[in-house]
Amino acid sequence: MKNKTLIIIVIIAATAAALSLGIYQKRTHQINASLLQIEQLMYERPDSAWKILQHMPSISQLRKEEQALHALLFTQAQYKNYIPVKSDSLLRIAEAYYRTSNDSLHKAWTLFYLAQYYRDSDEKEKALSYFQQANIASRNIENNQFKFLLNLHWANLLSDEDAENKGIEKYQTANKYAILLKDTLKQIDLYGQWGWCCLLTGKYDCADSLFNMGLKLSTSSKMTYYNYLLNCLSLTAREKKDYKRALELVNRSLSLAKDSTELYPLWNNKGEILLEMNQYDSAHFYLSKDTRDYDP
């Protein structure tokens, strides 16, 4: 009798264990599927990826591999949705896992976002170190999208650090990957950012050339870029004291702008041009259109 009871208990325990294992495996499969779905959405629909992440189980309930990917995707979604990343704690979870993993791509992305975080935190030495580490991690992967972004953001930081030649080299590398991707928008964006760095460092002819290169690639389907680059060219002309050209360019940009987010910087630029021309009443008229922080 006792033997029969023992056998029944063993069968029940084994059945419960099997059921628990089945439930655990099913849950793990569902979580992995959700994370993969989020990763696929991230590039074209980062807002949707962010919404799905909000409904994922707490990171503490996940396995280490899932924790690492969740932490990376959560940070990536924040950057892509322009949500400030206030801590590197999640990225540290991802870094700890991917440092010893054979997953070079996710390791490279983690190091890249750590570089972004430290750049935004004004810890530039750390940022440069992580950009370098991300570059080493990505040497054996074929992902032109990643390599474009890495070199573009690395170039911007190097330009801010007055490492001009190294910055130019990274911009040129980023442009190579944009061409390989056959992505005109990426090229236009690159020329805009590269030109802006030249403008800020007083290299006005270089800025003018780069903004014009971006403008040539722009079409009506990329009107936001076209409008932005017109205003950039106006700013360059203003710095050169060529006020007639500066006004012509900003007026062209104003004629194409559609909403206040586009109009605010244009009104400000035109006001500043008129102010430098000593046309104070006209300058006040345009500067006061931006009611957010204008002080007469």
Side-chain angles (χ1 to χ4, degrees):
M1 187 71 178
K2 287 182 180 179
N3 288 338
K4 287 184 178 179
T5 303
L6 183 60
I7 291 169
I8 291 169
I9 291 171
V10 170
I11 292 171
I12 292 171
T15 303
L19 286 171
S20 296
L21 180 61
I23 292 168
Y24 174 78
Q25 289 175 335
K26 182 179 179 181
R27 177 180 174 277
T28 300
H29 176 75
Q30 289 173 339
I31 290 170
N32 285 335
S34 295
L35 289 171
L36 290 173
Q37 181 188 15
I38 291 166
E39 192 164 24
Q40 290 170 353
L41 277 172
M42 192 66 72
Y43 298 106
E44 295 183 5
R45 297 286 302 279
D47 54 334
S48 297
W50 176 247
K51 287 176 183 176
I52 297 172
L53 278 165
Q54 305 308 299
H55 299 287
M56 290 286 292
S58 169
I59 194 169
S60 62
Q61 300 175 28
L62 307 179
R63 297 181 308 157
K64 285 188 177 181
E65 181 180 357
E66 295 161 353
Q67 285 182 346
L69 184 53
H70 183 282
L72 171 57
L73 293 174
F74 196 93
T75 305
Q76 191 174 38
Q78 285 180 290
Y79 272 106
K80 287 185 173 290
N81 287 282
Y82 305 101
I83 299 167
V85 178
K86 297 180 179 180
S87 169
D88 64 348
S89 57
L90 283 177
L91 285 171
R92 288 298 181 191
I93 293 171
E95 183 186 21
Y97 178 81
Y98 289 122
R99 280 286 186 193
T100 57
S101 167
N102 293 324
D103 189 342
S104 298
L105 180 58
H106 287 124
K107 177 182 177 180
W109 275 117
T110 299
L111 296 168
F112 169 75
Y113 281 110
L114 277 164
Q116 295 278 70
Y117 171 77
Y118 286 118
R119 179 205 62 194
D120 296 343
S121 302
D122 206 30
E123 296 185 58
K124 293 181 179 177
E125 288 301 319
K126 277 189 177 182
L128 288 169
S129 173
Y130 274 106
F131 276 129
Q132 180 66 45
Q133 292 177 59
N135 185 52
I136 293 169
S138 68
R139 282 178 180 171
N140 295 321
I141 63 174
E142 296 295 330
N143 189 310
N144 292 335
Q145 167 80 8
F146 173 81
K147 292 182 178 181
F148 167 78
L149 289 171
L150 171 65
N151 283 280
L152 176 62
H153 289 280
W154 196 357
N156 289 340
L157 182 58
L158 286 167
S159 297
D160 289 344
E161 289 290 285
D162 297 324
E164 182 184 356
N165 291 334
K166 290 182 180 178
I168 290 171
E169 178 188 328
K170 299 303 176 190
Y171 279 125
Q172 290 171 337
T173 303
N175 191 41
K176 179 186 77 174
Y177 287 114
I179 293 169
L180 287 173
L181 287 164
K182 298 180 180 179
D183 194 325
T184 305
L185 285 177
K186 280 184 170 54
Q187 281 188 275
I188 296 169
D189 183 35
L190 182 146
Y191 288 136
Q193 293 193 47
W194 189 354
W196 189 255
C197 286
C198 290
L199 177 60
L200 292 177
T201 53
K203 301 174 183 65
Y204 303 130
D205 289 339
C206 172
D208 216 46
S209 173
L210 288 163
F211 291 144
N212 272 306
M213 287 168 72
L215 205 63
K216 287 177 182 177
L217 290 173
S218 300
T219 64
S220 57
S221 62
K222 306 173 184 69
M223 189 55 73
T224 301
Y225 281 100
Y226 189 87
N227 200 14
Y228 166 75
L229 290 166
L230 279 175
N231 192 43
C232 287
L233 283 166
S234 174
L235 290 167
T236 307
R238 186 178 117 199
E239 292 296 336
K240 290 179 169 183
K241 311 298 182 188
D242 187 351
Y243 298 123
K244 181 179 178 181
R245 182 167 181 265
L247 280 174
E248 176 192 341
L249 288 163
V250 77
N251 284 336
R252 282 175 63 193
S253 191
L254 280 165
S255 70
L256 298 170
K258 296 178 181 178
D259 57 52
S260 57
T261 56
E262 292 181 53
L263 287 166
Y264 284 142
L266 303 179
W267 286 331
N268 183 70
N269 182 27
K270 185 166 183 177
E272 293 289 349
I273 294 167
L274 293 166
L275 191 63
E276 291 179 29
M277 295 173 70
N278 299 325
Q279 296 183 23
Y280 302 118
D281 289 340
S282 297
H284 171 72
F285 173 78
Y286 283 101
L287 290 171
S288 62
K289 281 178 171 288
D290 185 349
T291 57
R292 296 172 299 175
D293 57 4
Y294 177 62
D295 183 354

